[in-house]
Amino acid sequence: GAGVSQSPRYKVAKRGQDVALRCDPISGHVSLFWYQQALGQGPEFLTYFQNEAQLDKSGLPSDRFFAERPEGSVSTLKIQRTQQEDSAVYLCASSSGEVRWAQYFGPGTRLLVL
Amino acid sequence: GQQLNQSPQSMFIQEGEDVSMNCTSSSIFNTWLWYKQDPGEGPVLLIALYKAGELTSNGRLTAQFGITRKDSFLNISASIPSDVGIYFCAGRPYSGGGADGLTFGKGTHLIIQP
């Protein structure tokens, strides 16, 4: 079946622009996670949804970062007033309710802020 | 926050050799996972471990959840060229507190020498 998909795959933004990154999880997966991966590092947790409820947003680096999943399927990560330090790969992962920690990742969106 | 120490940082091996890498934590983890990431792609789940002492295989890959719950290792037997990539360990702290996402190591770069 289809895996996790993300769009766009690449995004170049000028400093100060707002960006929106989309994630389509595996069908039926109730849990959805966003991670940020800096060059040469492992992914770092940003936020977690169970269905439409955002249960944990402790990893969001600032109030410029906002995520939503209004219908419990597709999710959007929005970054307002982008800064150069926001340049990274943004990964989305989903998991079923039964095996929550076996997370399946999408290909990521590579964001470059100039 | 939690940190995972993954070693070695990189490995230069010849095709056909066996590979071993490990991951340690200063605190107890109740879940360990191993992922492989190719350039430009998201991490792919290889093996998930949920019980101390658990030993699980996936083809030529074998991983174990350490009895102390503070470590895990991954072995790859008879390496082949497509094994090249970055291997990440990831886990969920036993305390359950803090962020709901996984904590990742910094990765082991596996390089196969011609």
Side-chain angles (χ1 to χ4, degrees):
Chain A
V4 178
S5 61
Q6 293 185 245
S7 61
R9 290 293 307 273
Y10 303 90
K11 178 68 178 179
V12 179
K14 292 183 179 179
R15 190 159 54 106
Q17 273 187 326
D18 297 348
V19 298
L21 313 179
R22 177 188 169 103
C23 172
D24 281 88
I26 293 172
S27 178
H29 277 193
V30 299
S31 297
L32 186 146
F33 303 81
W34 284 98
Y35 292 82
Q36 181 190 60
Q37 186 175 25
L39 190 64
Q41 302 295 317
E44 291 193 357
F45 170 76
L46 294 177
T47 187
Y48 159 59
F49 289 86
Q50 184 172 333
N51 295 305
E52 69 278 4
Q54 188 175 19
L55 300 185
D56 187 347
K57 53 182 180 180
S58 61
L60 295 176
S62 78
D63 58 8
R64 296 185 296 104
F65 287 70
F66 172 76
E68 60 184 5
R69 194 186 185 196
E71 297 180 357
S73 55
V74 171
S75 178
T76 303
L77 176 67
K78 298 179 180 179
I79 309 174
Q80 298 176 325
R81 304 180 304 280
T82 53
Q83 303 295 316
Q84 286 186 325
E85 60 263 29
D86 299 335
S87 296
V89 176
Y90 290 86
L91 295 163
C92 176
S94 70
S95 67
S96 67
E98 294 180 356
V99 191
R100 177 178 171 189
W101 303 116
Q103 298 178 19
Y104 299 88
F105 283 81
T109 293
R110 281 143 189 81
L111 174 64
L112 177 62
V113 181
L114 302 176
Chain B
Q2 301 289 342
Q3 288 191 344
L4 295 181
N5 298 309
Q6 196 170 345
S7 65
Q9 286 187 334
S10 59
M11 299 185 71
F12 295 81
I13 64 167
Q14 294 193 336
E15 185 177 351
E17 287 185 359
D18 295 344
V19 172
S20 182
M21 60 189 78
N22 65 67
C23 197
T24 61
S25 170
S26 58
S27 59
I28 293 173
F29 274 57
N30 63 7
T31 302
W32 286 98
L33 304 104
W34 286 91
Y35 287 87
K36 178 177 183 279
Q37 187 173 30
D38 292 328
E41 300 297 327
V44 174
L45 180 62
L46 300 174
I47 293 178
L49 303 160
Y50 299 101
K51 296 180 181 179
E54 181 179 356
L55 184 71
T56 298
S57 293
N58 178 9
R60 295 179 295 105
L61 278 62
T62 302
Q64 185 161 25
F65 191 140
I67 291 178
T68 66
R69 298 191 177 189
K70 292 183 178 182
D71 60 355
S72 177
F73 72 76
L74 175 70
N75 285 345
I76 305 172
S77 63
S79 58
I80 59 177
S82 62
D83 291 335
V84 168
I86 304 175
Y87 291 81
F88 288 100
C89 63
R92 171 72 173 140
Y94 179 75
S95 64
D100 270 308
L102 296 172
T103 298
F104 279 80
K106 291 188 175 182
T108 293
H109 293 240
L110 183 60
I111 301 164
I112 295 186
Q113 293 177 316

